[in-house]
Amino acid sequence: MQTSLNDEVLQKCRATLAADPVARIARNAVAKTAIKAVALNRDAVTRLTHTYSHTVKTGKTTSQNSSGRCWMFAGLNLFRTQIAETLGVEDFELSQNYLMFWDKLEKANYFLENILVTLDEPVGSRLLDWLCASPLQDGGQWDMFAALVKKYGVVPKEAMPETESSSRSADMNALMTLKLRQAASELRAAHAAGASEAELRAQKDALLPALYRMLVTHLGEPPTEFLWQWRDKDKHFHRDGVLTPQEFLKKYVTTELDELVCLIHCPQATKSYNTPYTIAYLGNVVGGQPIQYLNVEMLALKAATQAMIQEGKPVWFGCDVGKQMDRDLGLMDLELFEYEPLYGTSLGMDKAARLDYGQSLMTHAMVLTGVDVDENNQPRKWRVENSWGDKGGDQGFMAMTDSWFDEYLYEVVVEKQYLSKTLLALLNKPLVPLDPWDPMGSLAASV
């Protein structure tokens, strides 16, 4: 039987509050100051420095501005240092806008294809609602990034610079989402009226020029080739001639995408370790590589990550960035904020429970570019290259404690050579599909 908030219950609440002197202090402080400022643990702030025993060479931090392209920025940031060294320049940046254009067009096509294969789903079904919720959002996953690079290559930033809409994508996304939902309703109406599969596919294909035009309006038209020339750090001039994006990729990017694998750490009871997973209906490039995760124990994930960094290689990763993190200080620490004394109650859940009950999931992608180890080669903290510009932290770089890594980091992309033979063998097993709304299907999109 349900119970209501009666006078007896409310009187107990008032009495409990009155008996706690800290409650009055907390109330007075938070009335005038943001809760994070009041709860900030100064001991944690002074303990966590931006120095590391091992670091990877990087350029200046990049900025995704008011867009959710963190996964794309993080992916391109894996390439740019090696390109800068090849070119002999101090810093280098690839065009995030170029990949954004193709991601949007591919996502639009992917959405329409999913509408065609779910035509008999009733309005209001969980699957149809999920497909239509955010068909063109900025977020993504590692395999979506890899699929774009393999198909379209990459270009220097100057070949397709940022625009207003690439940096602030909300209006573009809203208008294109309207167009896609309109298209979905029209395709489903035509199906209900008896249109053939060939007629429906022709109707869908006829939409693509309009979507292409919308994207060109917002982002510009992506180059099919460009003249590539530059001056190195010694002021020497170089010209490499006219290149296609695929030629630039092949010539200047040494990373072998097929040698990279995405490891996840998901301790939910509904998942098992040493199991490869995929996510149904999640992706961007039709016919491209599917979302592929290998769920492993944290020790295995961390060992591969640490080994790569100690050999001078950056690591793409996804995490729940908003938890126990201060953006201005650039710190990520489980002890950074002391909320429990302020409220006089516990606020603890383990990693599996947070996933089970919607308290946490992967929201942001960045790059690990350093690790600080103790005398036993055990990690103490990690250096993080973010894409929020150079304000905050150490000129835009953040420090993450190893305990934060354990609790809020969900995936890393590592080279296969850093996996054991046992884990490598698992990559050949059939992928276990997860529902589209599974927490492991979340997209990195934090801004």
Side-chain angles (χ1 to χ4, degrees), residues 48 52-54 298-299 301-307 309-310 368 370-383 400-406:
L48 191 55
Y52 307 86
S53 59
H54 301 79
M298 179 55 78
L299 286 177
L301 182 149
K302 191 177 293 184
T305 303
Q306 181 178 338
I309 292 173
Q310 289 180 320
L368 290 166
V371 63
D372 189 42
V373 300
D374 63 18
E375 60 276 7
N376 298 313
N377 200 38
Q378 296 302 304
R380 299 174 58 251
K381 65 177 183 288
W382 304 78
R383 184 175 186 246
M400 173 202 299
T401 62
D402 190 57
S403 58
W404 197 100
F405 185 116
D406 289 340

Side-chain angles (χ1 to χ4, degrees), residues 20 135 228 333 337 414:
D20 186 354
W228 178 230
D333 184 355
F337 298 104
V414 297

Side-chain angles (χ1 to χ4, degrees), residues 395-435:
Q395 297 182 325
F397 288 83
M398 306 177 75
M400 173 202 299
T401 62
D402 190 57
S403 58
W404 197 100
F405 185 116
D406 289 340
E407 293 298 320
Y408 292 110
L409 187 142
Y410 290 108
E411 59 182 304
V412 297
V413 173
V414 297
E415 294 179 9
K416 294 177 182 178
Q417 65 172 305
Y418 294 96
L419 302 185
S420 67
K421 291 182 179 179
T422 301
L423 291 180
L424 280 174
L426 297 174
L427 299 177
N428 297 319
K429 294 180 62 177
L431 299 174
V432 178
L434 299 173
D435 290 329

Side-chain angles (χ1 to χ4, degrees), residues 346-361:
S346 66
L347 295 171
M349 301 173 74
D350 63 28
K351 193 171 187 177
R354 287 193 295 268
L355 289 168
D356 287 340
Y357 292 94
Q359 178 57 27
S360 183
L361 75 171

